[in-house]
Amino acid sequence: MRNRPIPGSSGVAQDMSLLGDPVLHAPCEPVTEFGPSLARLVENMFATMYAAQGVGLAANQIGVAQRVFVYDCPDDEDVRHLGHVVNPRLVEADGITVRGPEGCLSLPGLEAATPRFDHAVVEGFTVNGDPVRVSGTGFFARCLQHECDHLDGLVYTDRLSGWRKSKVMRAARKTPWGANA
């Protein structure tokens, strides 16, 4: 998910998978091995997210079809939320539905008003295998839902319909990267 620049990380930035890449459109596999390679993946995901000036990144956005996402995202009160979730499950998405601007690092330069619940709860694990529960409201809830969608093989355009979907898909096809969109 894209928003604003946030200071960097020590990992290695990876190439971004773009709309149309098959890895973005298939459900990711659960992580079964927790160890140094998973920790390196999470570190590289943070580096990639920061380099792209994003607020969230799912593993399949860098071509890794595993259920992992990272985030460094503010909520509507500008409180910073920083972390990662391995094998996340969206266990709650409720409250009012807000149609707000949403972008994606895999659709650079594009955004569309996308409906999302204003409250979300995700459960999963840390890179060490410890259970974690992350709750969010407002923009952070949008981020949590967006990243969980990625791991299920969805991009935000899959949540659109009618002229909103047509408009963003037409814009994607006009970009240098959108030939496969």
Side-chain angles (χ1 to χ4, degrees):
M1 190 163 174
R2 184 168 173 81
N3 188 23
R4 60 188 166 131
I6 300 175
S9 163
S10 61
V12 177
Q14 305 290 305
D15 288 335
M16 194 69 61
S17 299
L18 299 173
L19 183 66
D21 187 324
V23 74
L24 293 176
H25 304 285
C28 294
E29 295 295 320
V31 171
T32 57
E33 293 187 32
F34 291 75
S37 63
L38 179 59
R40 278 191 302 278
L41 171 63
V42 168
E43 185 175 324
N44 290 344
M45 289 172 65
F46 272 113
T48 302
M49 179 183 70
Y50 291 136
Q53 300 180 359
V55 296
L57 183 76
N60 59 344
Q61 290 184 271
I62 59 168
V64 178
Q66 290 191 307
R67 295 189 66 81
V68 180
F69 73 78
V70 299
Y71 58 89
D72 189 343
C73 183
D75 59 24
D76 287 355
E77 285 74 45
D78 213 28
V79 174
R80 180 182 184 196
H81 300 270
L82 172 67
H84 67 277
V85 185
V86 178
N87 295 334
R89 291 180 306 114
L90 184 63
V91 296
E92 289 179 39
D94 55 22
I96 62 170
T97 301
V98 177
R99 185 181 300 276
E102 192 163 325
C104 181
L105 298 175
S106 293
L107 288 86
L110 302 179
E111 69 176 34
T114 306
R116 298 282 186 184
F117 288 107
D118 73 340
H119 174 255
V121 178
V122 172
E123 292 179 347
F125 301 91
T126 67
V127 293
N128 299 320
D130 298 323
V132 64
R133 180 179 171 96
V134 181
S135 298
T137 59
F139 186 70
F140 184 46
R142 177 175 296 278
C143 177
L144 293 172
Q145 293 166 82
H146 179 106
E147 302 311 331
C148 284
D149 272 359
H150 271 304
L151 301 178
D152 290 335
L154 301 172
V155 292
Y156 78 88
T157 56
D158 296 319
R159 298 262 177 210
L160 303 175
S161 61
W163 68 267
R164 280 186 178 89
K165 184 166 189 154
S166 296
K167 182 179 176 183
V168 75
M169 296 307 288
R170 189 170 39 255
R173 285 189 293 275
K174 292 179 181 178
T175 66
W177 53 264
N180 296 323

